Amino acid sequence: MGEMIGKQSVKFAEAPYIFEGASVVGPKEGEGPLGKLFDVIEQDPMLGSKSWEEAESLLQKETVQKLLLKSGLKKEDIRYIFAGDLLGQLIATTFGIMDYEIPFMGLYGACSTMGEGLSLAAMMVAAGYGENVIAMASSHFGSAERQFRFPLEYGNQRPFSATWTVTGCGAAIVTKRKGFARITGVTTGKIIDYGVKDAQNMGACMAPAAADVIYNHLNDFGTAPDDYDKIITGDLGYVGQAILIDLLKRKGIDISKVHMDCGIEMFDKENQDTHSGGSGCGCSATVLTSYVFKQLKKKAWKKILFIPTGALMSPISFNQGKSVPGIAHLVVIESV
Amino acid sequence: MGEMIGKQSVKFAEAPYIFEGASVVGPKEGEGPLGKLFDVIEQDPMLGSKSWEEAESLLQKETVQKLLLKSGLKKEDIRYIFAGDLLGQLIATTFGIMDYEIPFMGLYGACSTMGEGLSLAAMMVAAGYGENVIAMASSHFGSAERQFRFPLEYGNQRPFSATWTVTGCGAAIVTKRKGFARITGVTTGKIIDYGVKDAQNMGACMAPAAADVIYNHLNDFGTAPDDYDKIITGDLGYVGQAILIDLLKRKGIDISKVHMDCGIEMFDKENQDTHSGGSGCGCSATVLTSYVFKQLKKKAWKKILFIPTGALMSPISFNQGKSVPGIAHLVVIESV
C-alpha cells in the first residue's frame, strides 16, 4: 500500500526492497571509470550476433539470467517484468525476454525507462500484486544510432553537446524479501517541452523535465537537497547538468553539492571521446545497478534520488520539425 | 489492494470503477456498423493537420478533452495517465497529451496497449495511488501504414488475411468514484511466439497469445467461458478468431458462443474492403469505450473479459527476418 503525497508522488507504507541488481555492458563501457563494477563486460559489441538489435536483445537476456543467478531465484519466482528499450516497438526487449515466459508490461519512457520500471515495480510489490518483480532497461550504441541518427558508416561528426549511447543493460529485483535497500517513494514525471529541437543536444531537451520532477518531489515530500546523499540523474551529460542546476537555482534550490549524472560517470571525458557523456536507457540502468547499488550496500550513501531522464522524439517527429520534449521519473531509494 | 490469484492474475479486494469512456474515430470507422456509438466522428482523417502523425496526436488530445467533459473532471483531478500508440517512441502520445501536464507512464504493448493501460490504471486505483487514472490508446491508418508497411502511394495489394488499421482513440477513467462498471481482476500476458513471420497476417501472430492468457485466466480464477457474457479480443479479425477458437478447443475450452472480436465488429466486411477486420490499438480502445461500455451501462452484459492482442514487431525486426511474437492483456469488467 501507499499514500498519495502532494501533487504527483506516492510514499509507501511498507516500502518494498531492492534485493539484487545486475548489469551487462559493452567493451567501451568496460574501459570507462566504472568498468570494474559491472557484472559482465562483453568484449564483442555484437555479442556474436548478426545485428545490433539482436545484440541488444542478448544483453537483456543475459542480464535477466545474471540477475536470477545472483538473487537465487528461478524465472517462475518472478511475477512481472517491467522493461523497455529505445527502439521502435521495443524489439530489443521483446526478443530479449521472450524465452523467460514472465508476464510482461512493455514500457517506453525513452531514457527514463528504468525510473518508470522501478516506480511500477515498487508500486506492484507494495500493493501485494507480486512477490518479486523485475525492472529492466537497455540500450545499444549501434542500434540507437541506426534508429535515431545517421548510419554509422556515414562518419557524421558529432557536436560537443552530443552524448554517446551506452551499450548496456541493467535490471533490478524489487521484492518483499529483505534486501540491501528500499524504495520508499516515487514521483511520476510529466512531459515538459521547452521547444528545443536539437537532437544532438539531448541534455538541453531533458534538463527541464528533471528540474520539474525534482522540484515537485521536494515540495510533495517537504524535503530539501541536503536530505539526500546524492541526487542522481540519468544522462543529462555536462551540458544538461549545467542547465538543470541553473533551472533549480532560479527556484531557490541548490543541488550542485549532491548532484551526480550517470552519463558523466560512465565515460572518461578526456580519453574516450564521448563529448557530453553517456546516454541511453542502458546508461542510468547500468550505473544504478553497479556503482549506485554498491554505494548503498556499503551504506556510503543512505538516501538517494534516482531520476532517469528521457528525450521524447522519433526519427519521424524530428524530420517533421517537432521539438524534443522531455520526461523524468523519480524514485527514492534508502539503504537498509 | 488486490490478491495474487494463480500464476499470473490479480483479483481486487475493492474493485475500482470505470466512470466514463470516450471515443474519437475517423470517417471510415464512422461509416462502419458501430458508427452511431462513437462520441466523435472526424470527417477529415488528417484532422486539419499536416501529417498523419500529427492527426493521431490530435485524436488523443481530443479524446482526453471529451473524456474530461463527459465525466465532469478537470485535468488536475487526474493523477496518472497510462497511454500509448503504435508509432516508434510513442510520438502520437507524447505530442497528443503534452499540454495536459498529467503525470504520464508511456506504454508499448502493440495493439494490446489498452489492456495494459486498463490493468495498470485499475492496479493504481485499487492500491490507493490515485483517485482518478486515465487509460488510453490510439492508432491511425496513415501513420501505421507509414510505420510498418508500404508507402500508401505505392498502392500495394493487401492479402485477405490483412487487417485495416483503425483511425481512432479510446480512453477510460478508472476511479474510486462509483461508475457504471468495475474492473474486478486482471491477468497479465506473456510474450508468445509461434514463429509466424507474416506481417500481413497479424491475426495468426496474436491468436496464440490470446489463447494463452484466456487459458491461464480461466485456470487462475477457476471460471469457465459460460461465466462471461462476452469474451472480447482486440483485433484478431476473421483469420485470428478461427485460430483462437481452435487453439482453445484443443485444450477442451469452447469460447465460440461468447467470443467477440473488436476488429470484426468495427467494419462491414462486405462493403468496406477491410478483409480480415480492423486492427491497431485504437480498434479495441474505441470499440470498448463505445459499444462495450454501452452494453455494460444498460446491463445487457454483466460480466465480460476484455483482451486486446498485440503483434510485437517493428519494420527493423521484420526486415531482419524475425518472427512476429504476440502478447495479450486481460481485464475482467463487471457492470454495476
Side-chain angles (χ1 to χ4, degrees):
Chain A
M1 291 288 281
E3 188 193 341
M4 284 182 267
I5 299 274
K7 283 188 180 167
Q8 58 197 78
S9 303
V10 166
K11 193 173 171 178
F12 296 114
E14 213 175 303
Y17 290 94
I18 299 176
F19 189 75
E20 196 46 90
S23 54
V24 179
V25 300
K28 189 180 179 82
E29 292 69 24
E31 288 160 11
L34 304 180
K36 288 201 189 315
L37 303 175
F38 301 115
D39 289 307
V40 177
I41 301 168
E42 286 287 340
Q43 294 305 315
D44 170 14
M46 298 294 278
L47 282 84
S49 72
K50 284 183 191 159
S51 72
W52 293 314
E53 290 75 17
E54 216 170 294
E56 190 177 343
S57 289
L58 289 173
L59 284 177
Q60 290 219 5
K61 191 170 186 172
E62 204 173 323
T63 305
V64 173
Q65 195 171 33
K66 183 59 78 176
L67 184 61
L68 293 175
L69 197 74
K70 283 177 79 178
S71 52
L73 292 169
K74 295 188 299 288
K75 63 177 190 176
E76 292 79 16
D77 299 324
I78 308 300
R79 191 76 176 189
Y80 299 101
I81 182 161
F82 288 92
D85 58 79
L86 296 177
L87 305 183
Q89 293 80 41
L90 303 187
I91 48 163
T93 305
T94 295
F95 293 101
I97 66 167
M98 198 159 73
D99 292 345
Y100 293 108
E101 299 175 312
I102 299 169
F104 163 57
M105 301 269 198
L107 307 181
Y108 186 80
C111 305
S112 77
T113 300
M114 194 61 181
E116 187 181 347
L118 276 181
S119 296
L120 286 169
M123 288 164 135
M124 293 293 119
V125 172
Y129 302 146
E131 287 278 349
N132 307 298
V133 177
I134 290 179
M136 177 164 70
S138 74
S139 52
H140 189 290
F141 178 76
S143 66
E145 289 295 310
R146 161 144 58 203
Q147 178 80 170
F148 293 104
R149 282 171 285 260
F150 295 94
L152 284 176
E153 295 80 357
Y154 180 70
N156 183 56
Q157 198 175 3
R158 301 157 54 82
F160 281 109
S161 60
T163 47
W164 187 278
T165 305
V166 163
T167 297
C169 180
I173 287 189
V174 181
T175 166
K176 283 197 176 305
R177 288 204 297 170
K178 191 177 172 184
F180 64 90
R182 302 182 90 158
I183 297 178
T184 54
V186 301
T187 303
T188 302
K190 298 171 294 196
I191 302 170
I192 306 285
D193 184 23
Y194 272 31
V196 183
K197 291 188 177 186
D198 185 355
Q200 300 270 27
N201 188 353
M202 294 294 189
C205 303
M206 299 184 296
D212 185 78
V213 81
I214 292 170
Y215 178 79
N216 281 301
H217 173 79
L218 298 176
N219 268 351
D220 287 354
F221 281 77
T223 50
D226 290 350
D227 294 323
Y228 304 97
D229 296 307
K230 285 283 166 192
I231 293 181
I232 304 169
T233 50
D235 51 0
L236 295 180
Y238 294 97
V239 174
Q241 180 182 49
I243 299 173
L244 169 65
I245 289 173
D246 186 52
L247 284 172
L248 285 172
K249 263 195 187 144
R250 292 187 206 178
K251 296 203 169 197
I253 296 163
D254 182 6
I255 62 160
S256 61
K257 279 180 206 143
V258 288
H259 182 252
M260 173 188 130
D261 184 69
C262 298
I264 292 175
E265 301 297 316
M266 178 59 88
F267 295 117
D268 179 341
K269 192 187 183 184
E270 304 306 320
N271 301 307
Q272 290 193 290
D273 195 31
T274 47
H275 298 344
S276 191
S279 64
C281 16
C283 178
S284 61
T286 53
V287 173
L288 174 78
T289 52
S290 60
Y291 178 47
V292 177
F293 278 5
K294 286 201 169 71
Q295 294 296 99
L296 289 163
K297 278 178 185 174
K298 64 184 185 193
K299 295 188 176 53
W301 300 339
K302 288 195 181 124
K303 191 175 184 181
I304 63 153
L305 298 180
F306 175 64
I307 316 144
T309 42
L312 300 167
M313 61 165 290
S314 82
I316 292 176
S317 71
F318 179 74
N319 287 330
Q320 290 178 348
K322 292 277 192 188
S323 61
V324 184
I327 193 161
H329 295 299
L330 181 154
V331 180
V332 191
I333 307 178
E334 300 185 42
S335 68
V336 174
Chain B
M1 292 288 280
E3 187 192 342
M4 286 182 268
I5 299 274
K7 284 188 181 168
Q8 58 196 80
S9 303
V10 166
K11 192 172 172 178
F12 297 114
E14 216 176 301
Y17 290 94
I18 299 176
F19 189 75
E20 197 44 271
S23 53
V24 179
V25 300
K28 190 180 179 84
E29 291 70 22
E31 288 161 11
L34 303 179
K36 288 199 188 317
L37 303 175
F38 301 115
D39 289 308
V40 177
I41 300 168
E42 286 286 342
Q43 294 305 315
D44 170 13
M46 297 295 277
L47 282 84
S49 72
K50 284 182 191 158
S51 71
W52 293 314
E53 290 74 17
E54 218 170 293
E56 190 177 342
S57 289
L58 288 172
L59 284 176
Q60 290 218 4
K61 192 171 186 171
E62 204 174 323
T63 305
V64 173
Q65 197 171 31
K66 183 59 78 179
L67 184 61
L68 293 175
L69 197 75
K70 284 177 78 178
S71 51
L73 292 169
K74 294 189 298 287
K75 64 178 189 175
E76 293 79 16
D77 299 324
I78 308 299
R79 192 74 177 189
Y80 298 102
I81 182 161
F82 289 92
D85 58 78
L86 296 178
L87 305 183
Q89 293 79 43
L90 304 187
I91 48 162
T93 305
T94 295
F95 293 100
I97 67 166
M98 196 158 73
D99 292 345
Y100 293 108
E101 300 175 311
I102 299 169
F104 163 57
M105 301 267 198
L107 306 182
Y108 187 80
C111 304
S112 77
T113 299
M114 194 62 181
E116 187 181 346
L118 276 180
S119 296
L120 286 169
M123 286 164 137
M124 293 293 118
V125 172
Y129 301 146
E131 287 277 351
N132 307 298
V133 177
I134 290 179
M136 178 164 70
S138 73
S139 53
H140 188 291
F141 177 76
S143 65
E145 289 295 310
R146 161 143 59 202
Q147 179 81 168
F148 292 105
R149 283 172 282 261
F150 294 95
L152 283 176
E153 295 80 356
Y154 180 70
N156 182 55
Q157 198 175 2
R158 303 158 52 80
F160 280 110
S161 60
T163 47
W164 187 276
T165 305
V166 163
T167 296
C169 180
I173 288 190
V174 181
T175 167
K176 282 195 178 305
R177 288 206 296 170
K178 191 176 171 183
F180 64 91
R182 302 182 90 158
I183 296 178
T184 54
V186 301
T187 303
T188 303
K190 299 171 292 195
I191 302 169
I192 306 285
D193 185 21
Y194 272 32
V196 182
K197 291 188 176 184
D198 185 355
Q200 300 269 28
N201 188 353
M202 293 294 188
C205 302
M206 300 184 295
D212 186 77
V213 80
I214 293 170
Y215 178 79
N216 280 301
H217 173 78
L218 299 176
N219 268 350
D220 286 355
F221 281 77
T223 50
D226 291 350
D227 294 322
Y228 304 97
D229 295 308
K230 285 282 166 192
I231 293 181
I232 305 169
T233 50
D235 51 0
L236 294 180
Y238 293 99
V239 174
Q241 180 182 48
I243 299 172
L244 169 65
I245 289 174
D246 186 52
L247 284 173
L248 284 173
K249 262 195 188 145
R250 290 187 207 177
K251 295 201 170 199
I253 295 164
D254 182 7
I255 63 160
S256 61
K257 279 180 206 143
V258 289
H259 182 253
M260 174 188 129
D261 183 68
C262 298
I264 292 175
E265 300 296 316
M266 178 59 88
F267 295 117
D268 178 341
K269 192 187 182 184
E270 303 306 319
N271 300 307
Q272 290 193 291
D273 196 29
T274 47
H275 298 345
S276 191
S279 65
C281 16
C283 178
S284 60
T286 54
V287 173
L288 174 78
T289 54
S290 60
Y291 178 47
V292 177
F293 279 6
K294 287 202 169 70
Q295 294 295 99
L296 289 164
K297 277 178 183 173
K298 64 183 187 192
K299 296 188 175 53
W301 299 338
K302 290 197 180 122
K303 189 174 185 183
I304 62 153
L305 298 181
F306 175 64
I307 317 143
T309 42
L312 301 167
M313 61 166 288
S314 82
I316 293 176
S317 70
F318 178 74
N319 287 328
Q320 289 178 349
K322 292 277 192 186
S323 61
V324 183
I327 193 162
H329 294 301
L330 180 153
V331 180
V332 191
I333 307 178
E334 300 185 42
S335 68
V336 175

